[in-house]
Amino acid sequence: EVQLVESGGRLVQPGGSLRLSCAASGFTFSSNWMHWVRQAPGKGLVWVSRINGDGSSTFYADSVKGRFTISRDNAKNTLYLQVSSLRAEDTAVYYCARVLTGYYVGYWGQGTLVTVSS
Amino acid sequence: SSELTQDPAVSVALGQTVRITCQGDSLRSYYAGWYQQKPGQAPVLVIYGENNRPSGIPDRFSGSTSGHTASLTITGAQAEDEADYYCNSRDNNGNHLLFGGGTKLTVL
């Protein structure tokens, strides 16, 4: 059974940084593209970033490019998202996700909440 | 355009059929995926590709595409289908994923 468990979300001040983690199990982690998707309170889903299996290829939404960094440790079956220069509008639940096929997200974690506020 | 547009809200009488739509230029090249999200829960993929349902999704859910518009149809809506529904695709460069703004479905 595919399991994705996020952690690391907390209250942080504007301009601050933190690292989100996603522990994956139940599938061959190193063979899969992985994604981060976020959802602000009461708002819709927004794709944030993706990374290929060996970590050599990454893509970012324009809204986070230059501030967020996606990475992975295949030995630990863990996905990361380093978020920095945080703004109030980055407040959201951040989901770790894996596609079922193509660009269709078939597996989601439970999410971790990042709150940016002074 | 790199956006997917959905109606904010739709309602349907119990047992009737409802169509939720999603518009975007990328849908001329890529089939939409559809997700159901209930309050406090992660989204669930209900339709992907031309018209495929993941395991466990009832067959009252179906998908279709015409031009730049994708549709999710629920035939015989049930009370448990009340949720937010999101479409997704990829942008025309193929590098980014896109999500629509979501449609809140109310079952009356």
Side-chain angles (χ1 to χ4, degrees), chain A residues 100-106, chain B residues 30-36 44-65 70-73 86 88:
Chain A
L100 176 65
T101 183
Y103 46 88
Y104 307 110
V105 180
Chain B
Y30 302 106
Y31 289 113
W34 289 95
Y35 303 82
Q36 177 192 72
V44 173
L45 180 67
V46 296
I47 290 290
Y48 68 97
E50 188 169 5
N51 182 20
N52 301 300
R53 284 175 287 105
S55 175
I57 302 301
D59 61 5
R60 63 178 179 272
F61 290 89
S62 63
S64 61
T65 302
S71 299
L72 171 71
T73 300
Y86 296 90
N88 100 299

Side-chain angles (χ1 to χ4, degrees), chain A residues 35 37 39 43-47 50 59-62 65 95 99-106 108-111, chain B residues 30-33 35 37 41-45 47-49 54 86 88-90 94-101:
Chain A
H35 299 250
V37 178
Q39 186 170 35
K43 303 297 185 182
L45 302 171
V46 176
W47 174 79
R50 68 182 178 119
F59 298 94
Y60 298 92
D62 290 344
K65 200 168 187 178
Y95 291 103
V99 297
L100 176 65
T101 183
Y103 46 88
Y104 307 110
V105 180
W108 302 75
Q110 85 288 350
Chain B
Y30 302 106
Y31 289 113
Y35 303 82
Q37 187 180 35
Q41 298 182 16
V44 173
L45 180 67
I47 290 290
Y48 68 97
Y86 296 90
N88 100 299
S89 177
R90 63 196 307 176
N95 291 329
H96 294 188
L97 270 61
L98 301 173
F99 285 95

Side-chain angles (χ1 to χ4, degrees), chain B:
Chain B
S1 172
S2 299
E3 294 182 349
L4 298 175
T5 301
Q6 298 181 239
D7 291 329
V10 171
S11 61
V12 61
L14 184 67
Q16 297 303 300
T17 296
V18 62
R19 177 174 293 183
I20 299 170
T21 62
C22 173
Q23 294 187 324
D25 286 344
S26 66
L27 299 178
R28 297 184 186 278
S29 304
Y30 302 106
Y31 289 113
W34 289 95
Y35 303 82
Q36 177 192 72
Q37 187 180 35
K38 296 181 179 179
Q41 298 182 16
V44 173
L45 180 67
V46 296
I47 290 290
Y48 68 97
E50 188 169 5
N51 182 20
N52 301 300
R53 284 175 287 105
S55 175
I57 302 301
D59 61 5
R60 63 178 179 272
F61 290 89
S62 63
S64 61
T65 302
S66 177
H68 72 296
T69 301
S71 299
L72 171 71
T73 300
I74 306 174
T75 303
Q78 302 299 302
E80 61 264 31
D81 299 334
E82 186 163 290
D84 294 327
Y85 289 85
Y86 296 90
C87 60
N88 100 299
S89 177
R90 63 196 307 176
D91 70 357
N92 285 323
N93 290 329
N95 291 329
H96 294 188
L97 270 61
L98 301 173
F99 285 95
T103 297
K104 182 177 181 59
L105 176 66
T106 300
V107 180
L108 303 172

